[in-house]
Amino acid sequence: MNRITLENLRDIENDPRYTFIKGDIRSPEDVAKAMKGCDSVVNFAAETHVDRSIHEGGVFVDTDVHGVFVLCEEARRQNVSRFLHISTDEVYGSIAEGHFKETDRLNPSSPYSASKAGGELLARSYFVTYGLPVLVTRSSNNYGPYQYPEKLIPLFTTNLIENKPVPVYGDGRQVRDWLYVEDQCEALDLVLQKGTVGEIYNVGAGNEEFNLDVTKGILKLLGKREELITYVKDRPGHDRRYAVDTAKIRALGWKPRHDFAAGLKKTVDWYVQHEDWWRAIKQKQADYKAWIEKQYGTK
Ligand code: DAU
């Protein structure tokens, strides 16, 4: 599915260090073209949204599992020197107390997280079987500018700017650990440069928040009333809490630099200043919107 907007690349469009190639990671021809002559591969390409995977799981298996297979095959042919695969803390499933370590078992709950687990296991198998220099990161919830307005923070921010209600699933007491996008990028860069091949690194900022508190934080920043909070049906298979132990990546020299209150303000301000960007996106996706309304009764 093509949900990337080229608007996101405006800042670098005339920078000779970057080449944009439009393709599909499920296509061996596209992947061969994009990977030709590369030293390193960083795989961010994925279907990422849990609700969409509940709506239609097939494309998640195609992209997040088979797409990784196509990439690994080509990376092996090209003999790349590093292959960084971006995974997610959702592969562990939910944890009531404590923090998941990289060695803990995988127990994914949704078609999305199960597909991500399949993809990273496949990538690691290329390290074990063929010696492909694979590294894997498992990151917590990212937030920041340019995030697609289907995720909690951009969806709620943009709804509230439009004075529309915000649909909190279940009791809103699910916990996510919020990682500012620039902190995530620094972590990935470090793992790419200094990580040990064959290893997995958790990435999380330790900003554990109830969804309801995040929602109230956005309301406050935008000066909106709490009556705009609407409690709707819970997400099927909803994981209650994610939390990862980040000692391993911290030992490499990483630590997050954004605290949650400052990062949230920066993010909300960005959406206030970039209405054209998100309005153009929100006008599309009629089929998914209709499914969300039916699933959660948000009409
Ligand atoms: O933990 C890392 C993962 O974080 C990434 O691997 C995923 O790609 C990313 O989508 C995100 O998954 P979540 O399901 O945690 O993110 P989402 O923004 O969809 O939801 C965050 C929480 O907010 C979750 O508990 C569900 C809740 N929620 C979400 C939406 C969209 C609501 O209560 N209402 C909503 O309308």
Side-chain angles (χ1 to χ4, degrees):
M1 269 177 271
N2 194 356
R3 286 194 294 278
I4 293 268
T5 159
L6 279 179
E7 277 305 308
N8 297 2
L9 301 178
R10 280 285 165 259
D11 291 353
I12 56 165
E13 78 182 331
N14 296 318
D15 186 328
R17 293 175 303 165
Y18 299 92
T19 308
F20 175 72
I21 297 170
K22 184 172 175 177
D24 186 327
I25 63 162
R26 295 167 300 179
S27 153
E29 296 75 31
D30 287 354
V31 166
K33 191 170 151 201
M35 219 184 270
K36 196 159 186 266
C38 289
D39 308 322
S40 301
V41 173
V42 182
N43 178 29
F44 290 96
E47 289 293 335
T48 67
H49 195 52
V50 174
D51 291 316
R52 286 184 193 268
S53 82
I54 297 167
H55 175 42
E56 44 174 1
V59 70
F60 285 72
V61 180
D62 287 351
T63 307
D64 299 359
V65 185
H66 188 73
V68 177
F69 165 73
V70 173
L71 287 178
C72 288
E73 280 290 295
E74 187 57 29
R76 189 155 79 87
R77 254 191 298 274
Q78 297 277 345
N79 220 357
V80 300
S81 51
R82 311 283 272 182
F83 185 101
L84 173 58
H85 178 73
I86 318 298
S87 189
T88 168
D89 64 356
E90 292 201 15
V91 294
Y92 296 115
S94 196
I95 186 165
E97 280 169 22
H99 297 82
F100 283 121
K101 282 195 170 37
E102 288 84 351
T103 46
D104 284 333
R105 76 164 182 150
L106 306 189
N107 189 22
S109 306
S110 68
Y112 160 68
S113 51
S115 302
K116 288 297 287 183
E120 68 158 76
L121 291 175
L122 190 62
R124 268 208 83 247
S125 80
Y126 271 66
F127 167 72
V128 177
T129 305
Y130 304 110
L132 186 73
V134 172
L135 301 120
V136 172
T137 54
R138 293 181 182 148
S139 306
S140 67
N141 285 61
N142 278 215
Y143 73 105
Y146 291 105
Q147 191 172 35
Y148 206 82
E150 63 191 357
K151 313 277 189 228
L152 177 78
I153 291 178
L155 177 73
F156 283 16
T157 302
T158 56
N159 276 14
L160 290 171
I161 294 171
E162 295 182 290
N163 279 317
K164 288 187 179 153
V166 288
V168 171
Y169 298 162
D171 62 2
R173 291 181 65 79
Q174 303 82 8
V175 173
R176 296 292 183 267
D177 169 6
W178 295 97
L179 175 65
Y180 193 70
V181 60
E182 288 172 14
D183 289 326
Q184 154 85 333
C185 291
E186 285 179 9
L188 302 181
D189 190 35
L190 184 68
V191 172
L192 183 64
Q193 312 290 340
K194 302 235 173 82
T196 304
V197 295
E199 293 294 313
I200 298 165
Y201 296 86
N202 287 338
V203 188
N207 291 319
E208 282 189 41
E209 300 280 345
F210 289 120
N211 290 343
L212 200 53
D213 290 338
V214 174
T215 307
K216 287 181 181 166
I218 302 170
L219 282 160
K220 200 162 170 221
L221 284 165
L222 290 169
K224 303 287 178 179
R225 293 165 298 115
E226 290 203 4
E227 289 83 86
L228 286 167
I229 297 177
T230 313
Y231 291 91
V232 298
K233 264 193 276 183
D234 208 352
R235 176 186 270 175
H238 201 171
D239 285 329
R240 198 72 182 157
R241 173 173 174 261
Y242 296 138
V244 284
D245 182 315
T246 55
K248 192 167 168 184
I249 189 164
R250 285 176 186 261
L252 274 187
W254 176 84
K255 63 170 193 292
R257 292 196 284 143
H258 292 79
D259 81 61
F260 186 61
L264 188 63
K265 179 168 180 350
K266 224 164 138 178
T267 305
V268 169
D269 287 349
W270 188 88
Y271 283 91
V272 168
Q273 287 152 16
H274 291 81
E275 284 208 17
D276 289 351
W277 182 88
W278 56 261
R279 278 191 193 281
I281 296 172
K282 278 186 114 174
Q283 270 158 16
K284 298 188 212 142
Q285 316 283 331
D287 175 44
Y288 174 67
K289 249 192 267 168
W291 179 81
I292 283 281
E293 283 170 8
K294 194 155 166 256
Q295 171 69 26
Y296 293 108
T298 54
K299 199 161 178 97

